[in-house]
Amino acid sequence: MSASAVHSLWTTAADPITKIDAPKIEYGQLSPTLIVIGAAIIGILIEAFVPRKSRYYVQVFVSVVALTASFAAVVALAAGGYGTTKAGIAAMGAIAVDGPALFLQGTILLAGILGVFTFAERRLDPETHGNKVDSFAAQAASVPGSDSEKAAVKAGFTTTEVFPLLLFAIGGMLIFPAANDLLTLFIALEVFSLPLYLLCAVARRKRLMSQEAAVKYFLLGAFASAFTLFGIALLYGYAGSVKYATIAQVVDGTIGDINPALAGTMGNDALLLIGAAMLVMGLLFKVGAVPFHMWTPDVYQGAPTPVTGFMAAATKVAAFGALLRLLYVVLPGLRWDWRPVMWAVAIVTMLAGAIVAITQTDIKRLLAYSSIAHAGFILAGVIAASPDGVSSVLFYLGAYSFVTIGAFAVVTLVRDAGGEATHLSKWAGLGRRSPLVAAVFAVFLLAFAGIPLTSGFAGKFAVFKAAAEGGAGAIVVVGVISSAIAAFFYIRVIVLMFFSEPRPEGPTVAVPSPLTMTAIAVGVAVTLVLGVAPQYFLDLAGQAGVFVR
């Protein structure tokens, strides 16, 4: 091609110079996320500039203040009608500010505040070399058992970086269920996943097991992210857009002006079906649904227990929020395709979680399989494909997150010489040695089992009712059977605690600081209030159950 030809190409391509519009950002509507991300960045600066002795106190203060301010911002937005009448799309179409987004963000922030309390606990382990220690490694970079690690422990170092990491994870989780295009969804997924991979690896005790858990989580998470990205690429190829609304219009066939270059691919349903399947697969991995659940028991067991509690609660809330938005806003036109698949996933998840949990001997693994079963119960509400389905899922997620953080906080209290005593045999007779701790744990287990007068019963009832009304009666039957199987192993732990003889060399129950006590007390209070008088919160979830399109 001659130079003049190239030059003419240049000029024709460059001729219509249009003004690039400056982005219009609604800072007020995005304030919950901006506060948390801003505080996370401040947390990094604290690591760089604040003396080592004061870092822990400054980080805890900044984290709690930021999460409280962010929650206040969510409440203010909800009070200002952004969950109902003023719901809309912010940040140039990238983020939806609507009822489900605000409800889930509020739940994640409250779980995050309790997470900070359990992260900051420093009274459970005996002091080493006169320094208080927490659940995290003295120096995460040092090899387990090496001289540098021993020196770090002796010098009283602590990994205070866990607080900014926690804030970054929460920031990603706030965007995840509110994302309104596929690229924002993917970026949010990475922003909250990467800090969690790191947090799983920094346990003070059993460091090799903790690092192994983090590597498993990272590798499987990378696969899930890759599936998600492939799905996004295929959906973009199908619809010519990553915006949720445009994809939904192309799926329904209601789009007006079609780009001629895309007209050929828009009829290609293979792109749509494979892309949607891959995207849903990535989200089911985060939720911990069978067959994408393999990482759950290993990671829950190996990660530091405060991290496990936070991750089990908040990740589920964020991932189910994103899944609901994807299925209800982007793919309602594919309902006949995705419902049968979700039916199968929900049934297998409920049964597998409940049956495999019976064989577990470690309390953290038992709670992990229980969380898999709960993912199945929540999917029953997703399948309902109705406004009641959405509100029941929101309520269940809110109730479940508090029970989970409370239960894992109790697990941190039961200790022997090697740290936490997580083997079930060591919990024998706990009710006689410290009746209060055992009673509190029993309340959480009964809530997991869905016994009346606990939040678990109200949540399960709401989800199963929505599923039955949505024509998924068979799932309700399987759900009730799974609940009965699950109740067996929850009650087995209660019997073990209260009706077994305590062992003379059994574990002790450490007396926690007010931080962990608060986390556990809030968990118990929410569990009982949502169980005894759930109606106000069910109405709140009902009002928040409408997605903006």
Side-chain angles (χ1 to χ4, degrees):
M1 193 185 281
S2 69
S4 60
V6 173
H7 186 256
S8 69
L9 276 178
W10 265 103
T11 47
T12 49
D15 266 349
I17 294 174
T18 50
K19 231 172 54 239
I20 297 176
D21 293 329
K24 183 170 167 292
I25 306 293
E26 296 83 347
Y27 291 104
Q29 293 176 40
L30 303 178
S31 56
T33 314
L34 295 176
I35 292 169
V36 174
I37 299 281
I41 294 166
I42 292 169
I44 295 174
L45 296 174
I46 291 169
E47 285 300 314
F49 296 112
V50 173
R52 195 185 284 273
K53 282 269 180 276
S54 328
R55 273 181 213 166
Y56 162 82
Y57 301 101
V58 180
Q59 291 282 25
V60 174
F61 176 75
V62 167
S63 305
V64 173
V65 167
L67 293 173
T68 312
S70 181
F71 181 71
V74 169
V75 173
L77 285 171
Y82 284 101
T84 46
T85 48
K86 287 194 200 166
I89 310 294
M92 300 178 69
I95 290 184
V97 181
D98 57 7
L102 292 174
F103 189 93
L104 294 165
Q105 287 177 340
T107 307
I108 291 165
L109 288 164
L110 289 176
I113 293 172
L114 297 186
V116 171
F117 287 171
T118 54
F119 274 44
E121 177 58 59
R122 298 183 108 177
R123 277 205 204 157
L124 298 177
D125 271 311
E127 291 191 1
T128 50
H129 305 292
N131 296 302
K132 290 183 175 176
V133 294
D134 52 19
S135 306
F136 302 101
Q139 196 166 14
S142 56
V143 178
S146 66
D147 292 339
S148 66
E149 185 186 47
K150 288 171 188 159
V153 171
K154 198 168 181 182
F157 289 1
T158 51
T159 303
T160 43
E161 295 90 333
V162 293
F163 296 103
L165 284 172
L166 177 73
L167 290 175
F168 275 120
I170 293 172
M173 287 173 188
L174 294 180
I175 300 174
F176 198 56
N180 196 51
D181 68 44
L182 294 173
L183 284 182
T184 310
L185 181 85
F186 182 73
I187 291 166
L189 173 73
E190 292 306 302
V191 169
F192 84 75
S193 297
L194 295 172
L196 287 178
Y197 301 150
L198 284 174
L199 286 170
C200 287
V202 293
R204 182 176 284 273
R205 308 285 185 105
K206 300 183 180 153
R207 282 197 62 198
L208 287 171
M209 193 171 163
S210 165
Q211 290 177 357
E212 180 195 352
V215 169
K216 282 179 179 166
Y217 189 21
F218 170 65
L219 290 175
L220 289 168
F223 274 114
S225 295
F227 275 118
T228 311
L229 203 52
F230 267 117
I232 290 171
L234 292 173
L235 281 178
Y236 176 70
Y238 170 78
S241 172
V242 288
K243 284 201 163 67
Y244 283 5
T246 313
I247 298 172
Q249 285 175 334
V250 176
V251 173
D252 293 343
T254 54
I255 191 160
D257 50 332
I258 296 179
N259 183 338
L262 289 167
T265 57
M266 279 185 179
N268 188 347
D269 283 351
L271 286 179
L272 170 65
L273 291 171
I274 297 169
M278 286 182 145
L279 200 51
V280 170
M281 207 186 295
L283 291 175
L284 288 177
F285 170 87
K286 280 291 168 210
V287 164
V290 179
F292 313 105
H293 68 294
M294 289 318 218
W295 59 277
T296 315
D298 289 343
V299 174
Y300 279 26
Q301 187 185 7
T305 308
V307 175
T308 309
F310 167 72
M311 191 167 78
T315 309
K316 257 203 182 36
V317 178
F320 267 113
L323 186 65
L324 278 174
R325 193 175 294 277
L326 190 73
L327 295 178
Y328 282 58
V329 176
V330 187
L331 304 172
L334 273 187
R335 185 167 296 169
W336 302 112
D337 294 300
W338 63 251
R339 272 191 79 174
V341 178
M342 286 298 181
W343 267 67
V345 170
I347 288 173
V348 177
T349 304
M350 288 191 274
L351 288 172
I355 292 168
V356 181
I358 292 175
T359 63
Q360 298 305 312
T361 56
D362 184 278
I363 195 89
K364 282 168 82 173
R365 286 183 85 85
L366 185 135
L367 290 174
Y369 279 105
S370 125
S371 89
I372 292 169
H374 281 282
F377 298 140
I378 301 172
L379 279 171
V382 175
I383 289 164
S386 64
D388 278 355
V390 177
S391 60
S392 69
V393 169
L394 295 180
F395 178 82
Y396 199 122
L397 288 169
Y400 172 83
S401 54
F402 286 99
V403 183
T404 307
I405 289 187
F408 278 107
V410 174
V411 172
T412 61
L413 303 185
V414 182
R415 298 187 163 253
D416 58 13
E420 286 161 14
T422 55
H423 198 279
L424 272 180
S425 62
K426 295 186 177 166
W427 287 60
L430 191 72
R432 301 189 186 182
R433 189 169 282 146
S434 47
L436 181 65
V437 171
V440 166
F441 198 59
V443 169
F444 291 136
L445 289 174
L446 292 172
F448 279 136
I451 304 295
L453 296 185
T454 63
S455 60
F457 174 76
K460 271 186 186 154
F461 184 80
V463 167
F464 288 161
K465 178 171 170 280
E469 287 171 356
I475 283 204
V476 178
V477 175
V478 176
V480 172
I481 294 169
S482 303
S483 294
I485 298 170
F488 166 75
F489 62 79
Y490 295 128
I491 290 167
R492 192 184 73 182
V493 177
I494 295 175
V495 169
L496 183 75
M497 291 193 298
F498 287 101
F499 300 107
S500 307
E501 285 301 320
R503 293 185 174 186
E505 77 285 0
T508 55
V509 173
V511 179
S513 67
L515 292 168
T516 299
M517 284 183 192
T518 307
I520 296 172
V522 170
V524 173
V526 171
T527 303
L528 295 176
V529 168
L530 292 187
V532 177
Q535 198 52 52
Y536 171 76
F537 298 95
L538 283 165
D539 293 344
L540 194 67
Q543 289 166 8
V546 184
F547 288 102
V548 67
R549 281 196 166 76

